[in-house]
Amino acid sequence: MITFDNVSLTYPNGHQGLKNINLEIPKGEFVVVVGLSGAGKSTLIRSINQMVRPTEGRLLIEEEDSLAMNTKNLRLLRRDIGMIFQNYNLVKRSSVLRNVLSGRLGYTSTLKSILNLFSKEDLQYAMECLDRVGIQDKAYQRADTLSGGQQQRVSIARALSQKPKAILADEPVASLDPPTAHAVMQDLQQINKEDQITMVINLHAIDLSMEYADRIIGLRDGEMVFDGKASEVTEQTFEDIYGRAIKEDDLIGEAESE
Amino acid sequence: MTDLNKNTNRIPVLPSKTKKTTTLVFAVVLLLYTMSVIQTEAYPHQIITNIPIVVDFFIDDMLPPNPSYFADSFFALLETWNIALLSTTLSALFCLPIAFVAAGNINRNWALYHTTRFSLNVLRTIPDIIWAVLFVAFVGLGALSGVLALFFFSLGIIVKLVSETIEAIDPGPQEAIRAAGGNLLQVIWFGAIPQILPQFASYTLYVLEINVRASIVLGFVGAGGIGQLLERQISVFNYGNISMVILVTFVAVTIIDTVSTSIRKRLV
Amino acid sequence: MANQSKQYNLKNPKGKTYWLKFSVICAILVILYTVAFLFTDLTYRGSGASTGEMIRRMFFDPFFDPVHRENIPENIGYMFETLAIAFAGTLVGAILGIPVGFLAAQNVTGSFSFFGKSILNAIRAFPEIMFAIIFVAAVGFGPYAGVLAISINSIGMLGKLYSEVVESIDMEIVQTLKMTGANKIQVLWYGILPQVIPEFSSYALYRFEIDVRASSILGLVGAGGIGAPLILASQQRNWEEVGVILMIVIVTVTIIDLISTNIRKRIV
């Protein structure tokens, strides 16, 4: 359970990223955050694992205020939350397996990790995660030899290898073509259903949001302007959130194959 | 002339201010050059008239190199190479931690960052020969002073190059590892090091090339290597031996440069 | 669907070649370092005086000793000679480097550029101290030999950098000029030179920074400049005098670097 209690975030340059957010995300929910770019979607997601630090309010994760945590507890918190990025954020020159293993770093002592002494169980588990996203055969290839969709799957496997309670995804499919985007979203949906892992995902494509989300949260200028079930959402809702008419750019299109 | 006029229309004609600056620059350069020539007595016409003297000297006195001096030259050169290798190894080892402190994207501590940068600039300002004189004073004659001198000499160079590489890396992987609960060391080791490894290896080889050249001079102030041999032979004007030393050095430097360059090409 | 009991094959298919490469590299390194430690005498031969005392003798005592204070103006004079050697040498090298640079540029001389590149590579494989030895022997002691050594070495580096600049120029302008009927000299003057002059001068300035350092060692072999009093003082273990000279060199080099870097920033 993730609870935002009156959370605000002001950047050092004075820009207000979040304004008085109140939000509760129960375990296992598939939440999609929508809004125009600059509306604070990224800030909201990154607040959860404190990649950016809210300046006011309380942010409870499993009943504990994460803003009051010391560095060590914060690292333990981050270990329990997987994260997926728009640009995959893989070490391009390292092998796929090594990239997945970096998800195990929070469980590995500094010395062991620097000497590359991952346990046999860690290796097996990393392989299993790769298997779940269907690219186990690529384990020993260099990450940059993979296609965009495959690279994003590696980063999903990396998040999975953390055995997370929640996964945050910041525009995970924005760099992918429509069929691949749907495939990746389906992977995330499957993981959400099978493992009961909470998903908080930023999307800008309206049709993707409506198709995969349980719940949609709308942001505008750092304020929460919408919160409701995906089934209740219409295109009109998006026009309200965006403050403008829907354009073709806001849609990604159907999955052609898959 | 019509052609010329057409051409000048294609290329922007210099504004008068630029023209003034250019003239001024030329005047200053010319003035400094005149002063330098008077000071050094290296008059331009002499450079041309002296070419035959140099060539004659080279043919009469330097050739042929004395073959019996090969073994001595070779072992002295081996010491020079060893000094270069050991000092490069030392600076490469010390480079990594310092380079991260000197990289603005990793080290967010303003004071520490600028202190490190400043110290590195100071290191790079000091010429190799000065390091050699200093360490001969500190640890005495011999290869040890050479190794230490080149270590300090090359540390500034390699840290600057590597820290610039670090500042240019993709921050994504580090962000991902931080988000996965990695601590600072793990972020650096898994997120940054793999990205800079090829450049790091390449710069190490580059610094090795520089150190090989620098280590030749060290012997003149007693810091070991082939310079000692050269100095002795120069003082007795034995040009057959000198040219043997020069030949051996030339061949060795060429081989080292060629090998190093071809490895570096494959690395990056 | 995840299968908890499934065992994955953890063998890297490319592992064998990887380990082979790794072992070969390790073996080479082991040999190199064994040789390095066996053939290098790294014993400490210091006078037993602490480093702190040495630093005090070099960098503090001279200011309070009238004898060494008296020598300061003379040493500054040597530094000016060093600067003069560097300036004259760089300028000659910067100008003579232009034809060699064009000769070595692939887009100017085609396959003939190999010839120019070989000359430049050969020059660069000679450390400047070697040239200095040859020139001192040929034309006698003094700064004149130093200027010759510095200029020929500058040709080696600047010629290479120039040729890279020329190879990267925008050939479209050259083509356009050719179409307007310009002859070769006109193409050079209007099409190529304006493109390369800023980079050429920037590199020449950069080379001047290097040459100031290089000129400070020329005195070791009698080619003029501050190296001569430096080596004399260090052989006499006159650490106060050594300290004075070191400080003069470091301050001068720092000032030159600052000025030159500033000008270079404005040029490019």
Side-chain angles (χ1 to χ4, degrees):
Chain A
M1 173 107 107
I2 302 165
T3 314
F4 283 73
D5 180 9
N6 224 1
V7 169
S8 296
L9 189 150
T10 312
Y11 283 104
N13 63 10
H15 175 72
Q16 253 207 313
L18 295 176
K19 293 172 195 162
N20 300 70
I21 303 287
N22 284 295
L23 176 66
E24 253 185 37
I25 302 172
K27 184 163 177 52
E29 201 168 39
F30 197 112
V31 182
V32 168
V33 184
V34 297
L36 291 172
S37 60
K41 292 181 301 204
S42 239
T43 311
L44 180 78
I45 277 206
R46 277 155 201 261
S47 295
I48 298 174
N49 60 353
Q50 272 188 52
M51 297 303 281
V52 294
R53 197 177 161 81
T55 44
E56 280 163 58
R58 293 194 313 153
L59 210 168
L60 304 177
I61 295 180
E62 309 289 348
E63 310 293 316
E64 203 184 338
D65 186 2
S66 68
L67 297 181
M69 282 180 180
N70 62 20
T71 331
K72 182 154 190 288
N73 284 335
L74 183 62
R75 280 210 302 273
L76 291 179
L77 170 82
R78 284 176 176 164
R79 187 183 78 182
D80 289 339
I81 303 176
M83 189 155 190
I84 295 163
F85 305 83
Q86 176 178 351
N87 299 316
Y88 329 129
N89 285 3
L90 302 176
V91 181
K92 295 191 180 61
R93 298 181 38 86
S94 294
S95 73
V96 165
L97 184 63
R98 198 176 149 86
N99 269 296
V100 177
L101 277 171
S102 67
R104 299 298 299 167
L105 286 175
Y107 294 91
T108 316
S109 78
T110 309
L111 188 68
K112 274 191 176 171
S113 58
I114 282 179
L115 296 174
N116 254 336
L117 295 172
F118 290 98
S119 68
K120 185 125 203 209
E121 290 76 46
D122 279 354
L123 281 163
Q124 287 290 341
Y125 191 64
M127 279 300 211
E128 190 186 315
C129 295
L130 276 173
D131 202 10
R132 283 194 70 181
V133 291
I135 48 169
Q136 186 238 326
D137 53 321
K138 309 270 191 240
Y140 290 101
Q141 285 190 18
R142 257 172 66 153
D144 55 4
T145 60
L146 269 55
S147 70
Q150 288 169 330
Q151 289 194 38
Q152 193 57 294
R153 287 196 178 90
V154 176
S155 82
I156 294 173
R158 175 175 63 193
L160 270 180
S161 77
Q162 292 173 235
K163 301 198 174 155
K165 299 195 176 80
I167 288 181
L168 312 172
D170 195 356
E171 295 281 5
V173 297
S175 313
L176 303 174
D177 58 62
T180 319
H182 277 283
V184 166
M185 289 306 294
Q186 279 156 13
D187 278 349
L188 290 174
Q189 193 177 42
Q190 197 187 10
I191 290 164
N192 168 253
K193 294 280 173 300
E194 283 170 3
D195 298 17
Q196 287 301 301
I197 294 176
T198 315
M199 292 277 172
V200 187
I201 300 182
N202 280 345
L203 289 176
H204 68 267
I206 290 170
D207 42 356
L208 275 183
S209 316
M210 289 165 73
E211 188 171 345
Y212 294 99
D214 294 338
R215 174 179 172 190
I216 286 180
I217 288 165
L219 289 179
R220 189 167 65 207
D221 295 331
E223 277 177 283
M224 211 164 87
V225 292
F226 179 83
D227 180 5
K229 281 191 184 142
S231 49
E232 297 164 359
V233 168
T234 61
E235 293 208 344
Q236 181 57 45
T237 324
F238 279 96
E239 296 196 337
D240 291 344
I241 295 171
Y242 287 8
R244 61 160 170 78
I246 301 291
K247 293 191 291 192
E248 205 170 325
D249 287 354
D250 300 329
L251 304 167
I252 185 169
E254 286 300 305
E256 285 143 35
S257 53
E258 200 73 26
Chain B
M1 274 324 275
T2 45
D3 271 335
L4 206 81
N5 286 334
K6 236 193 260 169
N7 294 339
T8 40
N9 286 338
R10 289 183 173 275
I11 310 232
V13 181
L14 298 175
S16 67
K17 199 183 163 221
T18 322
K19 226 169 198 170
K20 261 184 209 158
T21 336
T22 321
T23 323
L24 188 72
V25 168
F26 265 110
V28 171
V29 169
L30 205 65
L31 180 74
L32 287 174
Y33 181 66
T34 318
M35 283 161 60
S36 302
V37 165
I38 292 168
Q39 169 89 44
T40 59
E41 293 170 11
Y43 301 102
H45 67 274
Q46 273 193 342
I47 290 179
I48 296 163
T49 52
N50 269 325
I51 289 175
I53 302 179
V54 175
V55 172
D56 284 348
F57 162 77
F58 197 81
I59 293 168
D60 296 342
D61 294 312
M62 300 286 279
L63 295 178
N66 178 5
S68 63
Y69 205 60
F70 175 78
D72 286 346
S73 316
F74 179 80
F75 281 104
L77 189 72
L78 187 65
E79 191 180 45
T80 294
W81 156 254
N82 289 339
I83 291 172
L85 178 70
L86 293 177
S87 56
T88 309
T89 313
L90 270 182
S91 49
L93 287 179
F94 279 84
C95 158
L96 275 186
I98 304 174
F100 279 99
V101 178
N105 55 341
I106 306 274
N107 179 5
R108 303 279 182 195
N109 183 327
W110 189 89
L112 185 60
Y113 170 75
H114 283 276
T115 323
T116 319
R117 287 248 138 176
F118 178 76
S119 326
L120 289 170
N121 283 337
V122 172
L123 282 191
R124 278 204 318 274
T125 307
I126 303 175
D128 43 3
I129 195 69
I130 304 251
W131 285 116
V133 172
L134 277 176
F135 278 100
V136 168
F138 296 157
V139 303
L141 299 172
L144 181 64
S145 53
V147 171
L148 291 175
L150 289 188
F151 162 56
F152 279 94
F153 168 68
S154 52
L155 187 66
I157 303 174
I158 190 167
V159 170
K160 175 167 193 268
L161 292 169
V162 173
S163 65
E164 276 166 6
T165 312
I166 295 174
E167 286 183 341
I169 58 175
D170 170 17
Q174 297 166 63
E175 191 187 18
I177 288 162
R178 213 151 49 87
N183 59 32
L184 181 67
L185 267 176
Q186 290 171 328
V187 167
I188 290 175
W189 193 256
F190 283 81
I193 298 269
Q195 292 191 62
I196 60 158
L197 221 47
Q199 280 91 344
F200 172 65
S202 166
Y203 287 141
T204 305
L205 284 169
Y206 171 65
V207 164
L208 181 67
E209 291 173 37
I210 294 179
N211 275 346
V212 166
R213 284 180 166 71
S215 63
I216 292 162
V217 188
L218 294 178
F220 283 87
V221 293
I226 203 159
Q228 253 154 333
L229 220 61
L230 264 177
E231 206 219 347
R232 232 175 291 144
Q233 296 306 318
I234 289 169
S235 56
V236 297
F237 303 104
N238 190 334
Y239 291 113
N241 288 357
I242 293 175
S243 65
M244 189 68 214
V245 174
I246 293 181
L247 179 70
V248 171
T249 312
F250 175 74
V251 172
V253 170
T254 311
I255 293 174
I256 293 167
D257 279 9
T258 314
V259 172
S260 162
T261 316
S262 68
I263 299 178
R264 284 201 283 136
K265 261 187 198 145
R266 290 177 52 181
L267 277 172
V268 183
Chain C
M1 177 63 216
N3 180 354
Q4 293 297 332
S5 60
K6 190 172 164 187
Q7 286 295 305
Y8 294 92
N9 178 14
L10 292 173
K11 228 173 167 175
N12 185 344
K14 277 178 284 179
K16 232 179 188 174
T17 35
Y18 173 78
W19 283 110
L20 189 71
K21 260 194 205 165
F22 187 76
S23 328
V24 170
I25 292 173
C26 278
I28 294 175
L29 288 179
V30 165
I31 293 172
L32 284 177
Y33 284 108
T34 315
V35 171
F37 282 107
L38 282 183
F39 286 84
T40 319
D41 178 13
L42 292 172
T43 43
Y44 171 85
R45 288 199 196 77
S47 55
S50 73
T51 307
E53 197 198 321
M54 277 297 181
I55 290 176
R56 203 203 70 222
R57 280 187 65 187
M58 284 185 178
F59 303 116
F60 290 98
D61 289 358
F63 294 109
F64 305 105
D65 182 347
V67 179
H68 295 292
R69 257 198 322 233
E70 245 170 53
N71 284 346
I72 292 178
E74 195 195 328
N75 284 322
I76 291 180
Y78 275 117
M79 195 66 224
F80 273 110
E81 187 177 83
T82 306
L83 287 180
I85 296 171
F87 193 85
T90 310
L91 194 69
V92 172
I95 292 167
L96 294 184
I98 296 176
V100 189
F102 274 98
L103 182 70
Q106 173 127 49
N107 54 348
V108 177
T109 48
S111 53
F112 197 62
S113 69
F114 172 77
F115 183 63
K117 282 201 164 75
S118 309
I119 297 180
L120 292 172
N121 284 336
I123 294 178
R124 275 180 303 118
F126 272 105
E128 48 272 276
I129 197 87
M130 302 279 179
F131 282 118
I133 292 168
I134 296 176
F135 288 127
V136 165
V139 304
F141 288 100
Y144 174 47
V147 173
L148 289 180
I150 293 291
S151 21
I152 190 149
N153 233 303
S154 306
I155 293 177
M157 180 181 132
L158 287 177
K160 177 169 186 269
L161 292 172
Y162 287 175
S163 71
E164 280 164 9
V165 173
V166 173
E167 278 170 2
S168 71
I169 59 172
D170 183 359
M171 288 307 275
E172 245 169 65
I173 297 179
V174 178
Q175 292 301 332
T176 320
L177 276 178
K178 273 189 186 157
M179 274 189 278
T180 62
N183 65 32
K184 278 204 166 149
I185 300 290
Q186 289 168 333
V187 168
L188 188 72
W189 193 252
Y190 287 99
I192 297 177
L193 277 185
Q195 291 190 62
V196 297
I197 285 290
E199 264 115 335
F200 277 19
S201 10
S202 168
Y203 280 138
L205 270 170
Y206 174 59
R207 180 66 208 187
F208 178 59
E209 292 172 38
I210 297 177
D211 281 342
V212 172
R213 290 171 168 77
S215 309
S216 2
I217 65 168
L218 291 175
L220 302 187
V221 296
I226 202 156
L230 176 66
I231 193 170
L232 190 69
S234 88
Q235 277 165 353
Q236 292 169 343
R237 301 286 170 267
N238 185 349
W239 299 122
E240 291 79 7
E241 185 80 6
V242 169
V244 169
I245 296 172
L246 295 195
M247 283 185 279
I248 292 174
V249 173
I250 293 172
V251 169
T252 315
V253 169
T254 312
I255 295 173
I256 297 283
D257 280 7
L258 283 178
I259 297 174
S260 165
T261 315
N262 251 314
I263 302 178
R264 283 199 284 137
K265 261 188 203 149
R266 279 201 220 165
I267 292 178
V268 185

